Amino acid sequence: MNTKRFMKWLAPMLTLAVLGAGTVARGGARYTSAFCVRNADASGHCYGSLVAFRNHENGATSAEFSVSSDGAMLFKAEFAPTATAPVTSMSCTPNAKVAAFWDKALLHHGYFNIYWDAAGTCYHLYLSNGSRYF
């Protein structure tokens, strides 16, 4: 194979390799933040993804959306800001507006943000899915 012919063959291969490497760089990126705060009056909020809570540096950190056989809905989180900090428990039950989206929260794999008041009522739920929130 002569040099000119070889270069014509090689150019498309290199182009595909470069383009392929560029498209893989962010594919499947995961949202890795998990955070909760419970205020002195027991109100608070959590945000992140369930995967991020599961993979948190403190093995006791967790979050869940649940519904029981009697229809009772609950958000529950156990959170510690570091691997060695004590875990804080927090939970809330949704108001009617948030309860309307609870079935979506149960199946959600992306980013979420949930707020509750001092009485333990979830009053705001934000769900987002996207390529970065796997």
Side-chain angles (χ1 to χ4, degrees), residues 33-88:
S33 293
F35 180 77
C36 290
V37 63
R38 191 175 97 194
N39 301 316
D41 68 352
S43 66
H45 71 277
C46 289
Y47 66 81
S49 69
L50 295 176
V51 169
F53 276 85
R54 182 181 65 219
N55 294 334
H56 191 270
E57 66 181 313
N58 186 308
T61 291
S62 65
E64 69 179 271
F65 293 90
S66 64
V67 62
S68 66
S69 60
D70 65 357
M73 295 172 246
L74 179 71
F75 171 79
K76 181 179 179 186
E78 305 282 334
F79 183 75
T82 66
T84 58
V87 173
T88 300

Side-chain angles (χ1 to χ4, degrees), residues 94-105:
N95 64 15
K97 186 171 85 173
V98 173
F101 293 94
W102 212 251
D103 60 332
K104 291 172 180 40

